[in-house]
Amino acid sequence: MVEPIQSWKFWHPLPFWQAFVIAAVAQVVCQLAVVALDKSGVVSLPIWVGSGLGGVTMFLAIRFFA
C-alpha cells in the first residue's frame, strides 16, 4: 500500500539529498552574485539580499524539479 505524503514535504518526489544540493547551489550562486556586484561597485546591496534571493531561488527550483 502507498504511504500518504506529508504536506510539509515540498520536495517530494525528490530525495532529500537532491533537495539539499539544489538548496546549497542556489544559496552559493546568489550569495556570490550579490558579493560580486557589491565589490565591483555596480550596485551596493546588503548581504542579506543574497540570502533572500537564494531562498526564493531554492524554493522555486525544488518545486520545478519536484
Side-chain angles (χ1 to χ4, degrees):
M1 184 167 201
V2 179
E3 295 180 23
I5 301 168
Q6 291 89 3
S7 61
W8 57 269
K9 287 189 174 182
F10 71 95
W11 63 81
H12 183 78
L14 291 175
F16 179 73
W17 70 270
Q18 286 180 346
F20 184 77
V21 168
I22 291 170
V25 168
Q27 285 291 329
V28 168
V29 167
C30 289
Q31 287 284 7
L32 288 178
V34 168
V35 169
L37 286 172
D38 189 42
K39 296 296 180 188
S40 67
V42 175
V43 178
S44 179
L45 295 172
I47 197 70
W48 59 264
V49 172
S51 296
L53 288 174
V56 170
T57 304
M58 177 246 349
F59 181 78
L60 293 175
I62 289 175
R63 290 305 306 152
F64 176 77
F65 288 115

